[in-house]
Amino acid sequence: KRVLDAGQSWLVVSLVGACIGVNAALISIITEWLSDLKNGYCYDGWWLNQQFCCWEIEYEDENGCESWHPWSDVVLAQWIIYVLFAATFSFTASHLVKNIAKYAAGSGISEIKCILAGFVMKGFLGFWTLAIKSLTLPLVIASGLSVGKEGPSVHVACCVGSVVAGLFARFSRSHGKMREILTAASAAGVAVAFGSPIGGVLFSIEEMTSNFSIKTMWRSFVCALVATFTLAAMNPYRSGKLVLFAVTYDRDWHFFEIFFFVILGVFGGLYGAFMVKFNMQWAAFRRKHLAKYPVVEAVSLATLTGVIAYSNRFLRIDMTEGMSILFRECEGGGDYDHLCQTSVQWSVAISLFVATVIRVCLVVVSYGAKVPCGIFVPSMAVGATFGRMVGILVKALWSANKESGIFAVCQPDVPCITPGTYAFLGAAAALSGVMRITVTVVVIMFELTGALTYILPTMIVLLVTKAVGDFLGTTGIADEAIRFNGYPFLDKDDHAYNMAVSRVMRTDLHTLPVTGTTVREIEETLNSTAVQGYPIVSNDGRNILMGYIGRAELRYVLDKAKKTQGTAPDMPCSFASETDDHDEMEFSGIATGPGVGMDEDISMELIETTATHEVLKLWPWVNQTPLSVSPQLPLEIVMQLFKRMGPRVILVEDHGMLHGLVTVKDVLKYTATETGEMRSRWDETQFE
Amino acid sequence: KRVLDAGQSWLVVSLVGACIGVNAALISIITEWLSDLKNGYCYDGWWLNQQFCCWEIEYEDENGCESWHPWSDVVLAQWIIYVLFAATFSFTASHLVKNIAKYAAGSGISEIKCILAGFVMKGFLGFWTLAIKSLTLPLVIASGLSVGKEGPSVHVACCVGSVVAGLFARFSRSHGKMREILTAASAAGVAVAFGSPIGGVLFSIEEMTSNFSIKTMWRSFVCALVATFTLAAMNPYRSGKLVLFAVTYDRDWHFFEIFFFVILGVFGGLYGAFMVKFNMQWAAFRRKHLAKYPVVEAVSLATLTGVIAYSNRFLRIDMTEGMSILFRECEGGGDYDHLCQTSVQWSVAISLFVATVIRVCLVVVSYGAKVPCGIFVPSMAVGATFGRMVGILVKALWSANKESGIFAVCQPDVPCITPGTYAFLGAAAALSGVMRITVTVVVIMFELTGALTYILPTMIVLLVTKAVGDFLGTTGIADEAIRFNGYPFLDKDDHAYNMAVSRVMRTDLHTLPVTGTTVREIEETLNSTAVQGYPIVSNDGRNILMGYIGRAELRYVLDKAKKTQGTAPDMPCSFASETDDHDEMEFSGIATGPGVGMDEDISMELIETTATHEVLKLWPWVNQTPLSVSPQLPLEIVMQLFKRMGPRVILVEDHGMLHGLVTVKDVLKYTATETGEMRSRWDETQFE
């Protein structure tokens, strides 16, 4: 039985991975086609994008081959058509999102973090979210908005995981098992988005899960592997490469360059802080003034982006393509659009600076619009343009002072500075600055490009970024969005010193007496309260804690009893353990023990053994040993218990007597009022 | 204050990293020199190894340049001198280990895992262990024993961490803080051993720590970065490379090759199972028969290895060098010793097979000898020889059937099979098979070689290896050694279903009454018992749990009171809280709360505020809210609490009354007797 179960888990994880891979390949293909459609169409077949249209033609200039027809030969007309297409795409996308699946908007990473931490948000990972997000993502990317598809790709992957695993009873019945699948799916989402399987696994560890286990890591590994493999086998880019922008740097770095790398790190930290601050301010503005006009907002943004971006050569091209150009070495075909010409270095540097500034502004207002949108690639693009600018300036500095100072260590006759590596490091810094993840970024950058020799510089840059971010008190944009939206999430570094749990606990409890209630009374309690579960107390008035029963279990067993045995409404109910035999007690304690999210299977298995005599016996569903603490226990430790053990509720008892109970929401409510933060919205949100 | 503390932590982590880097560089340099000393000496200076001796000479044949003098020109004499040197080196190493620091023997990874799980082993991370292990490691490697320096490198790094951080009161006083440093140091140990900083971080996550946190990961990142950077700056190989065996594979892999990759994965799994089983059997034999002759054993092994290995060209050369040869592509200088000649392919394949078999046997008997020895690189070497053999066979198969079957997809005029990649994948499989780590191996292999295009094949191979290992029920060799030695370590997948904690708990408790004892009585209790701490109970005979005090705290405060105030032996002691004021209570509860290994600082800070009147007040040192559970709680959940919350002891109370207490050792003792395993030795071991 156990072997079979384990086998099924692996099967489901692999199936989820395969579906994620197929879905990602389809999204890629459609995105490419739509992007090219803005510029022209293929004479040989409207369904071909520019690359495939010109597949067998050797010669290729900027406007493609003969079969590829631009919409117009006049630049102004090209521009207008480009903007019109962008507006149409964004209109379609935002319209679909608004009317069919509002959860498809945004990146979804914040919400998934909450779901993985144990909350439930109905419909967020459902089929319609999946369908609409998969469909609108290519439209949004093709519309040219300054948003990425990597964040939404994680959400899409989790939807696939939820839908596919939901077909299996083992997973649909157990939130715990489902969360394992979702964690693996989030790894696969990053893996297919970047072609970086190990980066995906690390992302799931560093960003997504709150409690790490080797088993989950291994599932993520398998899911990411299968997804990436499927994507590689489908080969959507027909390049045979998973790597988006493979570069090989021939030259190694010099120790003196670390000084300039530090500048890039500082930029990453500042960019992160700036982005988080102003994006959140813009989000507040959006909530206040734009909430009713999501379609208008998206269309205006796309039009604006199209109009502005067309004027700058680094903004006009696709962000991914732009990065692959900026990352290249100057030697060997890297001189795109005179990027490497010393004669125009100043104009190129200015152009890059303008691109950086405009892109930052566009990202601030675009990320969070009511369409699928991620911030990974836009951040990297910002970092890459800034980094390349720094690289060009350093190269100019070197050209002017070849013999002197720090540049004396360079060999005289070969190029000393590789501006492409600065772009690479800048991209890493910006990504790390805005997401506040480090190890993941190193691995992703390094799987993206294969630039192995630059692993130490990358790490140094991210160290500086992290230090700057910590100094400025920035948190990751996903965590900031959680706070902004008031989602119930216990942050990794939420602290509450000098506080006993008794201050926080809820004392207005809905308890059930261990004996002496009837089915009708329980039904009434169920209907009149909205809590997740009920502590069972002794009915001698001393309030001795006897156990805990979840709302879902109680509902289930009552319904079943009514349906199968036609239980009368005034039948007495008993939560008391049947037997005084110790072994039996223990067994039942185990059967229903896991209130701590461990192996929820066990409790499910016993549900079939209903016991019905003249008294409705509910004890097999009672968790007779709920996690309980004493009132003096520091809140700090209760928070640790929540984070590491993952229970939904912790009971507070003093010498056997029930004093109160505490949930994550109670803790958050307390810390919010205590620290004066505006963090009281979770009662309105959809999280359960 | 907090900022200062955080700053000090970073400083110490960086300092530890730098020391690890310097130490690793010195070990590398000495190892190289000693290894070459077996073959000859440098005329220009005895302190130069072959590489530096011949540094400026262009022409280099197998016997080096002119300045490099082999000990003899006769092959037989060369052989004898080689063996004599090997014997001398191993004699010196084992003698030093035996007489000065016996903890320097072995790899040390198992013990460090236990230490990181919360136990203490005096002297294991001390200065002498560090000095002797650093000194003998080069000797052992140079002696040619089939052992690696990567495992011991982790131990050495942890010793450095312990010694350096021990200079700071903040770390020497707190086991929790020290463990964070040790985790970071273990990451740096792997980082410098392989030149793989991110691999080191993952190693610390996947293999070493039992409870993962982002903060620890980030420290590991910094420590590994600083250590690798220091090593790179010292540049011991003078190659400017961190990467031991950088390869670039020009050709991509084909889908049909997956079939052969699976063979490599199966080999890895089988090798792991074989190695774990027989190495443990040999360890049992060693304990029984060879325990008294560690020096004789080491010298015999070195002699035997020298005699046997000299006859096979793949065994004779250094394992690292051998791997770098086996990993190479045939084109571009990879034809070492006719490895790529089709004419001699069969003899090469047989030679590789023989090398594989002999190496496996040598590793079985060598790993665990009473000298510093690791199993990482030997396993990789085994996998590389086997993999290269498979590669050569596949290549031969392709040569014979170029047009037919699965090989039809190959382009006709270019080589289709790259045997070097098979060696690479074989090495990964064998390493993963014996250590049972996966993500870490992918990253290490990939940082070692930069073979980015092979990331999917590597993952597939490791998936197969993992599946085979799981099927055979293999556990990692480090965990197996923990079990063999009976160390107190709660395994990640130790299970105990259907069992309440009351069955396991210890009931013969040494409690202290809350009031009514004297200093003398407490002293007597301290002297007559050896437990880690004492529950405080009410003195009304009802055994109500009031708190818990650690042995160390009790000892400290008594000694201090005697020294500073000259407390009389019959002075009464009180553990009762002074005040009934609730706020005060809470505060003290927090001050001494963390029995759960969280932030041990807090409790230390209060220690200075001794209160002495006519009664010795001990309450500030009492943890008034120790982690306690009810007797019916399933053992499973208690084990989860131990693993995730990391307390040293959990008290068992029922409705306020103390029933017993349980420690990790109790749990292990129980599961051991229950499952019938021979696992009862930890009372004899040095762990506290």
Side-chain angles (χ1 to χ4, degrees), chain A residues 202 206 214 217-218 229 258 438 447 455 466 497-500 503 583 586 590 598 640 644, chain B residues 2 202 206 212 214 217-218 229 258 438 447 455 466 498-500 503 583 586 590 598 636 644:
Chain A
L202 285 177
E206 194 175 356
I214 292 289
M217 177 167 94
W218 177 243
F229 187 80
I258 289 173
T438 48
E447 283 189 294
I455 191 160
K466 158 98 176 159
Y497 288 108
N498 296 359
M499 189 57 54
R503 286 278 198 90
D583 276 339
E586 271 173 22
I590 291 145
M598 283 171 27
Q640 293 285 341
R644 299 196 191 168
Chain B
R2 288 188 74 81
L202 285 177
E206 194 175 357
F212 163 83
I214 293 287
M217 178 168 95
W218 176 245
F229 187 80
I258 288 173
T438 48
E447 281 187 297
I455 192 161
K466 158 99 176 159
N498 297 358
M499 188 57 54
R503 288 277 200 90
D583 276 338
E586 270 174 20
I590 292 147
M598 282 170 28
E636 188 73 25
R644 299 195 191 168

Side-chain angles (χ1 to χ4, degrees), chain A residues 54-314:
Chain A
C54 306
W55 190 249
E56 303 220 322
I57 286 89
E58 289 285 306
Y59 172 78
E60 209 179 318
D61 66 6
E62 210 179 314
N63 294 317
C65 55
E66 264 186 41
S67 310
W68 183 257
H69 287 229
W71 293 112
S72 165
D73 293 329
V74 188
V75 173
L76 191 69
Q78 275 181 5
W79 188 6
I80 291 168
I81 291 171
Y82 179 98
V83 172
L84 279 179
F85 264 107
T88 314
F89 290 160
S90 63
F91 173 79
T92 318
S94 57
H95 196 75
L96 285 173
V97 168
K98 187 189 168 197
N99 291 310
I100 305 185
K102 67 185 167 68
Y103 285 143
S107 89
I109 289 181
S110 312
E111 288 84 356
I112 293 167
K113 282 183 82 163
C114 293
I115 290 172
L116 290 179
F119 291 91
V120 176
M121 197 175 184
K122 283 211 182 73
F124 189 76
L125 299 175
F127 175 77
W128 283 108
T129 311
L130 168 61
I132 294 302
K133 198 149 192 170
S134 301
L135 201 68
T136 52
L137 194 50
L139 286 166
V140 171
I141 304 301
S143 79
L145 277 175
S146 282
V147 297
K149 73 179 170 65
E150 284 64 23
S153 165
V154 174
H155 184 188
V156 167
C158 287
C159 289
V160 172
S162 173
V163 168
V164 172
L167 303 175
F168 298 83
R170 186 175 154 75
F171 297 96
S172 63
R173 279 200 318 203
S174 159
H175 286 305
K177 297 266 160 219
M178 187 55 102
R179 283 199 290 272
E180 289 178 10
I181 296 287
L182 293 182
T183 309
S186 72
V190 172
V192 293
F194 286 110
S196 159
I198 299 292
V201 174
L202 285 177
F203 181 80
S204 78
I205 296 174
E206 194 175 356
E207 177 75 11
M208 302 308 281
T209 58
S210 31
N211 40 21
F212 163 83
S213 83
I214 292 289
K215 200 176 79 176
T216 315
M217 177 167 94
W218 177 243
R219 294 225 166 125
S220 302
F221 182 89
V222 173
C223 198
L225 169 60
V226 174
T228 319
F229 187 80
T230 310
L231 185 64
M234 290 188 63
N235 199 359
Y237 304 113
R238 293 278 172 267
S239 69
K241 288 239 186 295
L242 276 175
V243 179
L244 284 181
F245 5 83
V247 281
T248 337
Y249 297 124
D250 293 333
R251 290 187 293 277
D252 215 339
W253 50 284
H254 306 83
F255 278 99
F256 73 81
E257 286 186 281
I258 289 173
F259 174 74
F260 304 108
F261 296 159
V262 168
I263 295 175
L264 297 176
V266 171
F267 170 77
L270 292 176
Y271 164 77
F274 181 90
M275 183 55 67
V276 168
K277 179 151 196 273
F278 287 98
N279 186 260
M280 284 302 131
Q281 289 195 351
W282 185 259
F285 177 81
R286 178 182 292 123
R287 181 184 283 163
K288 218 167 162 188
H289 301 291
L290 304 177
K292 286 183 191 152
Y293 319 106
V295 179
V296 175
E297 186 198 358
V299 174
S300 325
L301 276 175
T303 314
L304 186 76
T305 308
V307 170
I308 295 179
Y310 210 80
S311 62
N312 183 298
R313 55 182 161 171
F314 298 110

Side-chain angles (χ1 to χ4, degrees), chain A residues 298-418:
Chain A
V299 174
S300 325
L301 276 175
T303 314
L304 186 76
T305 308
V307 170
I308 295 179
Y310 210 80
S311 62
N312 183 298
R313 55 182 161 171
F314 298 110
L315 292 174
R316 187 171 47 216
I317 52 176
D318 181 57
M319 284 183 279
T320 320
E321 200 188 331
M323 271 193 278
S324 80
I325 288 164
L326 294 172
F327 285 0
R328 266 181 231 154
E329 283 191 338
C330 278
E331 294 77 35
D335 189 17
Y336 167 84
D337 216 1
H338 311 296
L339 196 57
C340 292
Q341 304 294 321
T342 316
S343 52
V344 293
Q345 65 188 20
W346 298 112
S347 80
V348 170
I350 289 165
S351 184
L352 284 166
F353 183 73
V354 170
T356 308
V357 172
I358 293 179
R359 178 83 78 198
V360 170
C361 298
L362 288 175
V363 175
V364 164
V365 295
S366 305
Y367 179 69
K370 295 295 172 202
V371 288
C373 53
I375 201 167
F376 283 70
V377 161
S379 295
M380 289 169 73
V382 167
T385 45
F386 180 82
R388 185 82 193 203
M389 183 195 77
V390 172
I392 287 174
L393 295 182
V394 174
K395 197 176 178 184
L397 202 64
W398 164 71
S399 303
N401 311 283
K402 280 197 185 180
E403 311 290 297
S404 65
I406 53 174
F407 296 112
V409 298
C410 291
Q411 289 176 323
D413 43 356
V414 291
C416 182
I417 305 295
T418 314

Side-chain angles (χ1 to χ4, degrees), chain B residues 34-47:
Chain B
L34 286 175
S35 289
D36 289 346
L37 198 62
K38 285 187 296 184
N39 295 318
Y41 63 100
C42 188
Y43 195 75
D44 297 345
W46 58 267
W47 62 88

